[in-house]
Amino acid sequence: MAKRRKLIVGNWKMNGRLTSGLNLAREVADRATASMPLTFDIVLCPPATLIWPIAETLMGSPVLLGGQDCHYANHGAYTGDLSAGMLADLGCRYVILGHSERRMAYGEQGDLIAQKVTSAQLAGLTTIVCLGETLEQRASGATETAIVQQLSASLPDKYHASQLVVAYEPIWAIGTGEVPSVEEIRIVHRLIRRSLGVAGETVQVIYGGSVVPNNAESILQDDDIDGVLVGSASLNGDGFWTIADKAR
Ligand code: PEP
């Protein structure tokens, strides 16, 4: 089977102003351009306000752009929302969907996320669908059940595997400095692959949760881990590039 390409995604969340965001994007773009041709894909997901100025900054570099969420509808009376088509219009190639922060803060559940997947794939975006168990589920040995349930609930009946990435993000590992062992990540990634059936052979399954320069190498060197979704550590250009460079 062909080796899957690694994918490095920086999720800036609600961080960054015009100047700081442009500087950060420029630093990553310069480092990536100097390392061309890249053997992995690298994506920045800034807040929506910065997508367009950063799109201009990234032109000519191998760094790709993504949104942090989108609405399931293509347009209409949805105050404050953004559609997948709008993200694609600005040059985004990816969108993060079902992040645990949105699941928790806005009660987003599987059926809504599945609708967003359909709409985003229709707009031509690659959908990064996030899943992860809580600390309680982990402690009670319910990780595998939680992951399988979330995966099937978050995917529509029909989707394009070539436009799907699954991000395994244990909730207890996000922003805490706690990281599962590579063996634990591998077990969940293999479970996700099996659950996806034939699509599991090609879909990238990436890990997210307290990835930092010091732990990135062991995570990224594992063949069952196709990349990383990085939160806090993506806000530092040097640190983020150090992580990405471990995917070489
Ligand atoms: C995330 O929120 O997707 C994430 C992985 O955050 P952090 O890297 O800060 O744990």
Side-chain angles (χ1 to χ4, degrees):
M1 199 199 343
K3 231 174 159 205
R4 289 174 298 271
R5 199 169 158 90
K6 301 265 179 188
L7 173 67
I8 312 297
V9 184
N11 174 15
W12 293 6
K13 310 191 187 188
M14 196 174 71
N15 293 293
R17 298 291 193 269
L18 192 54
T19 304
S20 61
L22 287 177
N23 286 342
L24 177 52
R26 199 170 296 119
E27 183 175 356
V28 176
D30 287 349
R31 303 285 286 269
T33 303
S35 305
M36 274 164 73
L38 289 189
T39 53
F40 54 89
D41 291 322
I42 181 163
V43 182
L44 298 183
C45 299
T49 50
L50 296 180
I51 290 174
W52 177 242
I54 288 180
E56 291 188 306
T57 300
L58 297 184
M59 267 172 206
S61 91
V63 181
L64 303 171
L65 257 180
Q68 297 178 11
D69 181 46
C70 69
H71 198 273
Y72 65 81
N74 197 33
H75 60 266
Y78 301 101
T79 303
D81 278 310
L82 291 174
S83 72
M86 290 170 173
L87 295 176
D89 195 32
L90 296 187
C92 286
R93 300 268 300 275
Y94 288 80
V95 64
I96 298 171
L97 296 174
H99 191 283
S100 60
E101 286 158 9
R102 294 202 63 86
R103 289 181 190 258
M104 287 188 294
Y106 301 103
E108 290 196 5
Q109 291 187 359
D111 53 350
L112 176 68
I113 295 160
Q115 280 182 282
K116 293 184 180 195
V117 169
T118 300
S119 163
Q121 292 201 345
L122 203 62
L125 301 178
T126 295
T127 48
I128 303 173
V129 175
C130 302
L131 323 159
E133 80 281 5
T134 62
L135 192 56
E136 293 70 32
Q137 287 168 329
R138 174 178 163 87
S140 64
T143 297
E144 302 201 355
T145 314
I147 295 299
V148 171
Q149 277 174 357
Q150 273 181 52
L151 181 64
S152 76
S154 307
L155 292 180
D157 292 340
K158 287 190 181 156
Y159 62 88
H160 296 290
S162 59
Q163 286 170 258
L164 177 68
V165 173
V166 177
Y168 169 50
E169 296 210 300
I171 295 170
W172 54 270
I174 295 180
T176 59
E178 302 281 331
V179 182
S181 67
V182 170
E183 176 62 20
E184 287 174 310
I185 300 172
R186 188 185 302 140
I187 288 170
V188 176
H189 282 209
R190 286 186 179 171
L191 172 70
I192 291 170
R193 259 181 221 302
R194 282 199 304 279
S195 306
L196 288 171
V198 179
E201 287 171 27
T202 50
V203 166
Q204 289 163 309
V205 183
I206 66 176
Y207 167 78
S210 296
V211 175
V212 291
N214 280 347
N215 58 25
E217 186 160 9
S218 58
I219 294 172
L220 282 166
Q221 277 182 359
D222 194 284
D223 281 347
D224 281 302
I225 306 173
D226 302 322
V228 286
L229 176 49
V230 186
S232 323
S234 70
L235 296 174
N236 177 285
D238 187 53
F240 185 55
W241 182 256
T242 304
I243 292 171
D245 208 32
K246 303 281 195 266
R248 272 211 244 195

